[in-house]
Amino acid sequence: MPVPSLGSFEELVLLAVCVLHEEAYGVRVLFEIQDQTGRTVTLGAVHATLYRLQEKGLLKSEMGGATDTRGGRRKRMFNATSAGFEAVRSSRDVRERMWSLMPQLKTSS
Amino acid sequence: MSQQSPEIPRFAIWLLESVCNDDFLEEFQGDLEELYAERRNHRSALMAQVLLWRDVVSLLRNRFRKHRSTQPMSFQPVLLTSYFTVAWRGILRNKGFSFINIAGLGAGLACCLLIGLYIQDELSYDAFHENGDRIFRVTTTETEGGRTAERASTYFPLAPTLQSEYAFVDKATRIFPYSALMILEDQRQFQEDQMVFVDSSFLEMFSFEMRIGESDSALDQPFSLVLTESAANRYFGNQNPFGEVVSMRTGRDVFDFTITGVLVDMPANSHISFEIAASFSSLRTIAPHMFHWFWPPVYSYVMLQDVSAEQTLLASFPDFQSKYHTSLGIERDYGLQPLADVHLRSGLENEMGPVGSIRHVYLFALVAFLILLIGCINFTNLSTARSAGRAREVGMRKTLGAKRLQLAGQFLSESFVTAFVSLGLGLILTWLLLPLFGSVTGKSFSFAVLGGGWNPVILVLLIAMVGLLTGSYPAFFLSSFRPILVLKGLVTHRGSAVTLIRRGLVVFQFAITSSLIVGTVVIQRQLDFLQNDRLGFDKEHVLVVPLRDMDNQINHESLKEAWTSDPRIVSVSASSGYPGYLEGLHDFIVVPEDAKDDSLSMLILTADHDFAETFGLEIVAGRDLSEEFETDASEGFLINESAAKKIGWTDPVGKKLTLSYYIRDHELKEGHVVGVVRDFQYMSFHRALDPIVFHVQENSFYNDFISVRLSGTDVRGAIAHLEEAWASFNPDRPFEYQFVDEVFDQMYRADNRLGKILGSFALLAVLIACLGLFSLAAYTTEQRTREIGIRKAMGASISNVVVLLSRQFMTLVFVAFMLAIPISFFVMRTWLDGFAARINMGAGIFLLSGAIALLIGVLSVGYQSMRAATANPATSLRHE
């Protein structure tokens, strides 16, 4: 199965889900991305990406249990599928390969 | 979903619930709440709210929508072109329908364009001066003896005093309108009434372009003269006039002026307008007696260092007055008027020339908008009326997979195409009507202006607005049909809501039309009333000759004798003014016997014996001033009714009066009242009638005019006789005269114009609305063809059917007129309030207008009804 292509924000979301391991849902993903990148992210963007990744088969989800912090509402927990892991890994591989090919030059401004 | 934390606004929850699919709601609300709680830990409540709303909005995307469309909407160019092709075919197929839409909208647009050009011209007045925002006109308010006058003009010393007194007054200039006889070296003479004296800074303050000469120095020296190109052309042809000498004759004296510059002719949209400007410093020699604080004949303009200095200057006026005016004993106040306000927002006495009115500008803009609206309503109404015919088309398109938005786009594009074709027609109509419109409004317009500046953008926006306005309701309505129902033919007479809206629009349309009809009738009546009934004197066959020389004024008796000898001349009277001439009345103090006030300010008209006879004034009590009574000249007064009322006399004849007036010094004239004349209209109708006291003043420079009443037979011969006698009496002056009725016509030109313009636009509005009603009636009767056939077959008479068909429309027209009565009543009453004397808006006016409106309704609906009613039922029944 060919690995679906990843957009840069999709990659961030997917990585965040992997990092959060079993604890990934909308708000946590949002905070993770904000903490790591310093970017301001809207909830809608995060959710839209989560569901898109799910449609691509890179994430799977199920409704979790109720908690007090959310007024008793349940949350949808996301987990990476193996295809999802594969996708981030292969994207990292591509990057590393290309970095290793980079000549040892000082970057000129 | 019942649990809800107080921090998340109800509206946000409702929004999410109504937009988002239920599957997501719980998750989203939970997330929002958690996010909010988290953010509240280290942010303000406000900031957290703002961020919350941003997240809410971000969740409102198609992906989470309730009825998420599976295919994205496609607006490919191919589809767009197909829209327009289909729209165009539709227009061609329904020629009658399209004609009415396009004609109505086109005429409405032409109105808008014409009125737009007019408004643009009115608003462009005095906008071309580079420093215009810093230039202000100084105005005077003077209260004397109970009469307050707000004047555009001020006193001779004011402008230079302001400039030397206050550092923030950058420049100041005066404009003194003058008329004089100009004599060239070759002895050609020109009587110049478009002449002014201005200070040397005038050409620097105002941006009038100079063809020859320097604007900063041309008027520095006394006896310098600047001509406009057209005056230069008149005097010297193509020769360069620079350095030439012309003589100016005023009174007995002749002064030589040197031409130091030539100006480009004044633009038409400038309130300052002249042909010759002479240096103000010349007046020190010509008329040194005018440099005082008593008489306000000059217009003063100041250029401030920056706009904010306006308040500073206004605040300084009280100090200024206590410094310069305390000894004068007159209550006086100054004001500042921005240059941009002079043309449209003045409302002052003593204007330099005719000014416009911002109220008329608003009124015209409103009329233009209303006419366009009437055209738009035609389109909307006809489109929905035809819906039955188009329902199948809609059903077919929907069955073939057209989405609602695409259908709406289809119908909108039809209205856009119609709007654009109408624009073409509107532009052609505008081009054709522009010369006519120019002559009615007294302006000259250039069609090319429409293509300049922001105008093309405005035009496109206007068309887009018209397209949206006309198309959105039909688009919304037609695209809502359910395909299965329409294909089964079940939607032909659908929903009362649509009929209600259609009727509402017809009522609205006719309410506007009826209001315009009422407005037109009121304006015509009022103008008639003012110019004929209300006058109070007989303006026909009276001509006025200006006596421009002091010698003539003092020795006019011999001329008068020479003139009265002719039988074609009824009477002759010299005076300081005449009805319709805005000056000539002088404010003086009157001390009446045993009155409530012991001194009153009155308007004094210096008038010879026979003034009342010459102008056909009606004597209410006593008699006219007459030569038969020798004492009349030295101690006789004639007063009008208003004066008697102001003094408080019920029986004025024989009462004593003392007049304190000014010749070369203050003088007192004691005398008694010999007669009372009925009030007559001396000044503009917009003003109340003034109290006037007449007295004779022999051998005085106050007698600026001689008025002559002709018998009315052989007018040409009589004038020839006058001219002949004039020439022997005064050989080096051309004979000039003006008929008083023409003067009056000129004075009310603005009002007459308003009447004409509004009248023609009202006619057009009526025409467009009729077109709409006509075709609407055509469609509805067509739909009922079979019904009528059956009715006739069952024995209904023609009149039954006509009444049946017309009743509905006539009710609408009637309701519309009822609505129009209060609206037009209030609008027209505000207009009438601008006149001192006005007609009553009685039932007569409304009955007449109502009859016109109903007649129009009958004509447009009746034809259709008659046609349907007289049709043979056999053919009707075979219909469809």
Side-chain angles (χ1 to χ4, degrees):
Chain A
M1 188 178 102
V3 181
S5 64
L6 276 184
S8 84
F9 190 69
E10 284 177 344
E11 189 178 351
L12 276 177
V13 172
L14 191 49
L15 279 169
V17 173
C18 295
V19 168
L20 289 167
H21 187 65
E22 304 282 336
E23 286 294 323
Y25 62 96
V27 179
R28 288 300 302 272
V29 173
L30 185 146
F31 282 135
E32 189 65 31
I33 294 173
Q34 282 192 351
D35 289 349
Q36 298 297 334
T37 63
R39 268 157 64 172
T40 332
V41 181
T42 60
L43 193 59
V46 172
H47 272 296
T49 315
L50 283 171
Y51 281 103
R52 192 166 342 113
L53 289 171
Q54 186 173 336
E55 278 162 24
K56 287 182 178 176
L58 303 178
L59 291 179
K60 57 181 190 290
S61 70
E62 56 189 10
M63 291 307 278
T67 47
D68 290 340
T69 49
R70 298 162 59 91
R73 295 189 187 89
R74 292 174 302 160
K75 45 196 175 192
R76 182 174 288 275
M77 310 300 294
F78 286 87
N79 265 310
T81 60
S82 51
F85 275 120
E86 197 52 48
V88 274
R89 183 177 295 135
S90 80
S91 118
R92 189 195 62 182
D93 289 349
V94 168
R95 269 151 226 241
E96 277 180 354
R97 207 162 44 244
M98 291 183 80
W99 273 105
S100 70
L101 291 175
M102 197 172 303
Q104 296 296 309
L105 291 172
K106 283 214 170 97
T107 50
S108 57
S109 52
Chain B
M1 239 62 58
S2 55
Q3 276 170 313
Q4 196 182 335
S5 69
E7 288 89 354
I8 299 184
R10 252 168 213 285
F11 178 60
I13 301 286
W14 173 83
L15 201 63
L16 283 177
E17 277 175 1
S18 52
V19 175
C20 294
N21 197 326
D22 292 343
D23 295 348
F24 300 108
L25 275 177
E26 183 178 8
E27 186 191 355
F28 287 172
Q29 286 179 19
D31 274 6
L32 285 170
E33 196 162 309
E34 194 179 337
L35 261 177
Y36 185 81
E38 176 71 28
R39 283 178 180 142
R40 264 314 266 127
N41 287 338
H42 43 90
R43 282 179 208 264
S44 70
L46 179 72
M47 197 57 209
Q49 282 284 336
V50 172
L51 290 172
L52 176 91
W53 271 108
R54 201 191 53 179
D55 284 328
V56 169
V57 172
S58 79
L59 285 168
L60 303 174
R61 50 182 72 198
N62 191 35
R63 172 175 284 273
F64 304 131
R65 289 254 309 269
K66 268 195 170 67
H67 307 290
R68 192 181 155 195
S69 54
T70 42
Q71 296 167 350
M73 283 276 297
S74 61
F75 273 112
Q76 292 141 347
V78 182
L79 192 61
L80 266 182
T81 45
S82 113
Y83 277 0
F84 289 113
T85 326
V86 174
W88 182 244
R89 281 183 200 149
I91 286 175
L92 290 185
R93 193 165 47 238
N94 302 293
K95 288 207 177 59
F97 168 76
S98 315
F99 168 77
I100 284 165
N101 278 333
I102 291 171
L105 272 180
L109 280 170
C111 277
C112 276
L113 293 179
L114 289 174
I115 290 179
L117 282 174
Y118 175 83
I119 292 176
Q120 227 169 32
D121 182 74
E122 283 286 286
L123 294 179
S124 74
Y125 264 73
D126 302 315
F128 55 90
H129 297 294
E130 235 167 83
N131 299 315
D133 56 331
R134 293 195 285 142
I135 300 178
F136 295 84
R137 183 165 77 174
V138 187
T139 60
T140 331
T141 310
E142 207 167 85
T143 310
E144 201 183 352
R147 203 180 94 87
T148 304
E150 270 186 80
R151 298 200 182 92
S153 54
T154 56
Y155 307 87
F156 261 67
L158 180 69
T161 317
L162 283 174
Q163 195 183 0
S164 59
E165 188 84 0
Y166 302 109
F168 53 80
V169 177
D170 210 7
K171 290 190 171 71
T173 187
R174 289 163 289 185
I175 302 179
F176 181 47
Y178 205 75
S179 46
L181 190 71
M182 305 300 281
I183 304 164
L184 302 190
E185 272 181 334
D186 56 9
Q187 295 309 311
R188 280 185 300 148
Q189 297 185 354
F190 296 93
Q191 174 62 43
E192 291 297 346
D193 295 323
Q194 293 279 357
M195 183 178 170
V196 292
F197 283 92
V198 294
D199 280 301
S200 56
S201 51
F202 176 85
L203 294 170
E204 293 170 72
M205 274 171 74
F206 296 102
S207 311
F208 294 116
E209 202 185 324
M210 283 204 95
R211 190 67 81 210
I212 302 172
E214 304 295 328
S215 36
D216 53 348
S217 61
L219 292 169
D220 279 358
Q221 297 302 316
F223 300 105
S224 343
L225 202 70
V226 170
L227 302 176
T228 60
E229 277 179 321
S230 49
N233 229 335
R234 193 163 64 226
Y235 286 8
F236 303 104
N238 292 327
Q239 257 179 297
N240 182 354
F242 192 83
E244 297 281 341
V245 173
V246 292
S247 311
M248 184 181 93
R249 216 184 112 184
T250 158
R252 258 166 286 191
D253 307 312
V254 175
F255 301 95
D256 285 346
F257 282 80
T258 313
I259 292 167
T260 52
V262 176
L263 280 171
V264 176
D265 282 353
M266 307 272 125
N269 57 358
S270 164
H271 85 278
I272 300 170
S273 164
F274 56 78
E275 297 204 317
I276 298 173
S279 53
F280 207 90
S281 45
S282 335
L283 285 172
R284 283 268 175 213
T285 316
I286 300 171
H289 59 277
M290 286 178 180
F291 287 77
H292 58 70
W293 287 101
F294 292 100
W295 182 48
V298 297
Y299 300 90
S300 304
Y301 296 81
V302 289
M303 185 159 99
L304 305 178
Q305 265 170 357
D306 57 88
V307 185
S308 61
E310 183 192 1
Q311 292 307 321
T312 326
L313 183 55
L314 278 173
S316 317
F317 280 141
D319 286 344
F320 181 82
Q321 290 184 60
S322 53
K323 188 164 174 188
Y324 291 95
H325 294 166
T326 35
S327 53
L328 303 180
I330 301 169
E331 222 180 291
R332 199 176 272 174
D333 222 344
Y334 294 115
L336 291 176
Q337 187 177 42
L339 190 61
D341 284 358
V342 169
H343 181 65
L344 288 175
R345 297 182 179 84
S346 171
L348 300 170
E349 289 177 35
N350 279 23
E351 273 296 344
M352 217 181 302
V355 290
S357 146
I358 192 75
R359 287 206 336 217
H360 289 186
V361 169
Y362 288 143
L363 190 64
F364 283 155
L366 181 73
V367 168
F369 175 73
L370 290 179
I371 291 178
L372 192 61
L373 208 59
I374 291 177
C376 289
I377 289 177
N378 276 355
F379 184 94
T380 303
N381 269 348
L382 292 182
S383 302
T384 53
R386 289 191 326 141
S387 62
R390 296 201 71 171
R392 280 197 200 97
E393 178 192 338
V394 173
M396 204 51 172
R397 281 176 188 274
K398 277 200 167 174
T399 314
L400 291 175
K403 287 193 197 19
R404 188 164 175 194
L405 268 181
Q406 287 172 332
L407 273 175
Q410 166 70 51
F411 291 120
L412 268 180
S413 62
E414 258 172 55
S415 71
F416 272 89
V417 169
T418 312
F420 266 98
V421 176
S422 312
L423 176 66
L425 179 70
L427 284 172
I428 294 172
L429 281 178
T430 310
W431 183 69
L432 288 175
L433 290 175
L434 211 53
L436 182 70
F437 187 64
S439 74
V440 172
T441 53
K443 293 175 182 288
S444 68
F445 295 105
S446 138
F447 188 67
V449 174
L450 282 175
W454 282 95
N455 285 345
V457 182
I458 294 173
L459 272 183
V460 169
L461 283 180
L462 183 73
I463 287 308
M465 195 194 80
V466 168
L468 261 180
L469 213 62
T470 55
S472 45
Y473 181 66
F476 159 78
F477 168 65
L478 287 170
S479 63
S480 72
F481 289 154
R482 302 228 161 221
I484 296 181
L485 294 183
V486 285
L487 287 180
K488 281 184 182 162
L490 291 176
V491 189
T492 39
H493 290 290
R494 186 178 168 270
S496 58
V498 176
T499 342
L500 206 65
I501 287 181
R502 193 155 70 220
R503 284 184 192 168
L505 286 175
V506 169
V507 166
F508 180 68
Q509 205 178 23
F510 262 80
I512 296 173
T513 316
S514 311
S515 303
L516 285 173
I517 294 175
V518 174
T520 312
V521 171
V522 170
I523 289 177
Q524 294 304 343
R525 286 271 176 97
Q526 169 75 1
L527 292 179
D528 258 20
F529 167 72
L530 290 179
Q531 287 168 36
N532 300 313
D533 306 354
R534 183 39 217 248
L535 216 50
F537 71 94
D538 182 5
K539 68 178 177 184
E540 308 295 323
H541 305 306
V542 182
L543 59 80
V544 172
V545 180
L547 291 173
R548 295 184 184 274
D549 286 0
M550 196 106 73
D551 284 354
N552 295 348
Q553 287 170 18
I554 292 170
N555 307 320
H556 68 266
E557 283 299 330
S558 47
L559 180 65
K560 194 174 161 180
E561 267 163 42
W563 277 355
T564 19
S565 63
D566 192 288
R568 287 168 297 195
I569 285 149
V570 179
S571 72
V572 178
S573 171
S575 59
S576 58
Y578 56 91
Y581 178 67
L582 296 181
E583 290 154 49
L585 287 175
H586 303 273
D587 261 316
F588 286 127
I589 299 291
V590 164
V591 186
E593 172 194 31
D594 62 64
K596 46 185 182 188
D597 291 308
D598 46 356
S599 80
L600 288 166
S601 164
M602 291 267 181
L603 293 174
I604 309 301
L605 186 76
T606 303
D608 224 349
H609 308 105
D610 308 329
F611 184 82
E613 192 192 344
T614 308
F615 280 93
L617 302 181
E618 189 189 326
I619 307 270
V620 195
R623 55 178 177 80
D624 194 1
L625 292 166
S626 164
E627 273 171 3
E628 288 162 30
F629 296 83
E630 272 179 32
T631 52
D632 272 6
S634 56
E635 54 188 54
F637 291 108
L638 187 65
I639 63 176
N640 68 357
E641 289 173 318
S642 294
K645 203 185 289 168
K646 185 169 179 184
I647 297 172
W649 282 336
T650 43
D651 180 23
V653 177
K655 290 272 193 306
K656 264 169 93 178
L657 200 66
T658 309
L659 170 67
S660 153
Y661 68 112
Y662 184 91
I663 294 189
R664 281 190 174 77
D665 209 343
H666 272 283
E667 289 180 26
L668 290 179
K669 178 170 178 177
E670 285 181 40
H672 53 268
V673 175
V674 301
V676 182
V677 294
R678 188 161 87 88
D679 277 341
F680 64 100
Q681 202 69 52
Y682 185 89
M683 304 256 213
S684 159
F685 292 123
H686 295 275
R687 278 182 53 162
L689 293 164
D690 294 297
I692 300 176
V693 174
F694 306 82
H695 76 130
V696 180
Q697 177 115 75
E698 282 173 329
N699 308 331
S700 137
F701 61 82
Y702 276 115
N703 293 316
D704 288 323
F705 301 96
I706 290 197
S707 313
V708 182
R709 169 164 293 277
L710 307 177
S711 65
T713 52
D714 188 21
V715 172
R716 201 165 293 190
I719 292 174
H721 167 73
L722 293 176
E723 185 165 7
E724 205 176 299
W726 173 272
S728 60
F729 173 75
N730 191 359
D732 40 349
R733 271 275 175 192
F735 177 67
E736 305 166 60
Y737 67 92
Q738 246 185 324
F739 277 98
V740 173
D741 52 352
E742 281 168 17
V743 174
F744 263 75
D745 286 349
Q746 254 169 22
M747 191 155 51
Y748 300 107
R749 198 180 277 166
D751 294 309
N752 285 328
R753 252 176 217 161
L754 178 76
K756 258 193 215 162
I757 296 174
L758 215 59
S760 25
F761 283 134
L763 184 73
L764 199 75
V766 169
L767 226 63
I768 298 173
C770 278
L771 271 181
L773 199 61
F774 180 80
S775 48
L776 202 57
Y779 273 109
T780 42
T781 29
E782 199 200 327
Q783 279 185 353
R784 297 171 77 172
T785 311
R786 263 209 283 200
E787 178 197 331
I788 294 162
I790 295 171
R791 279 177 191 276
K792 285 196 77 177
M794 303 294 273
S797 69
I798 290 181
S799 59
N800 282 345
V801 176
V802 169
V803 168
L804 176 83
L805 289 174
S806 317
R807 195 174 50 201
Q808 188 201 349
F809 283 111
M810 295 322 292
T811 319
L812 294 184
V813 171
F814 184 74
V815 170
F817 186 71
M818 285 295 135
L819 281 178
I821 289 178
I823 300 170
S824 50
F825 183 79
F826 284 113
V827 172
M828 290 325 289
R829 209 173 54 176
T830 31
W831 182 73
L832 284 175
D833 279 345
F835 291 90
R838 47 187 174 260
I839 50 166
N840 283 323
M841 275 196 288
I845 286 172
F846 290 102
L847 281 178
L848 175 67
S849 316
I852 296 175
L854 279 178
L855 184 72
I856 288 163
V858 168
L859 284 181
S860 25
V861 178
Y863 171 73
Q864 296 296 341
S865 312
M866 275 307 283
R867 212 176 56 163
T870 49
N872 184 353
T875 33
S876 310
L877 286 172
R878 252 179 253 131
H879 182 71
E880 283 173 10

